[in-house]
């Protein structure tokens, strides 16, 4: 389990709010890193100049916390809530990328 890129305060809040066990916490942290590694491997060719560590440091705190919470909900067996979180995250992310600046 690595908390290297996870924002510790936000991660601790999620752990406390969901009352995660050490095993569930490790599972959520590992999932967050697997998702980030998958995103790094799937980058378009023109963006592949970064190592994983460099790429991981560019991922926003909000994204890390969302990935961690998603993993935590899955570890708790709360699959429906995890999918709702993922869908909401996609909608917000897509909206932020397509809405013109005001």
């Amino acid at each position: 389990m690595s908390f290297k890129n996870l924002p510790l305060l936000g991660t601790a809040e999620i752990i406390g709010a969901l009352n995660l066990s050490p095993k569930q916490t490790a599972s959520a942290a590992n999932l967050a890193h697997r998702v980030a590694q998958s995103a790094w491997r799937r980058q378009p060719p023109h963006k592949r100049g970064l190592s994983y560590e460099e790429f991981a440091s560019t991922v926003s705190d909000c994204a890390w916390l969302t990935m961690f919470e998603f993993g935590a909900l899955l570890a708790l067996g709360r699959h429906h809530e995890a999918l709702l979180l993922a869908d909401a995250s996609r909608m917000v992310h897509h909206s932020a990328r397509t809405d013109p600046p005001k």
Side-chain angles (χ1 to χ4, degrees), residues 1-96:
M1 162 178 60
S2 171
F3 286 94
K4 183 174 183 179
N5 300 103
L6 289 166
L8 293 182
L9 183 58
T11 301
E13 288 177 11
I14 293 168
I15 292 167
L18 296 177
N19 196 28
L20 298 177
S21 70
K23 185 176 179 179
Q24 292 163 332
T25 300
S27 177
N30 287 335
L31 180 83
H33 282 283
R34 285 195 314 272
V35 170
Q37 287 170 343
S38 178
W40 172 67
R41 285 191 300 271
R42 294 177 183 190
Q43 291 181 99
H46 69 280
K47 290 188 175 183
R48 289 195 183 144
L50 297 177
S51 70
Y52 171 70
E53 287 304 321
E54 291 169 327
F55 173 80
S57 70
T58 67
V59 175
S60 71
D61 287 354
C62 179
W64 278 113
L65 292 173
T66 300
M67 292 184 291
F68 180 80
E69 186 172 1
F70 177 81
L73 290 168
L74 289 178
L76 291 167
R78 294 163 61 176
H79 300 262
H80 182 70
E81 289 174 75
L83 293 176
L84 289 174
L85 175 64
D87 288 343
S89 178
R90 278 188 212 101
M91 284 188 269
V92 168
H93 181 71
H94 178 73
S95 176

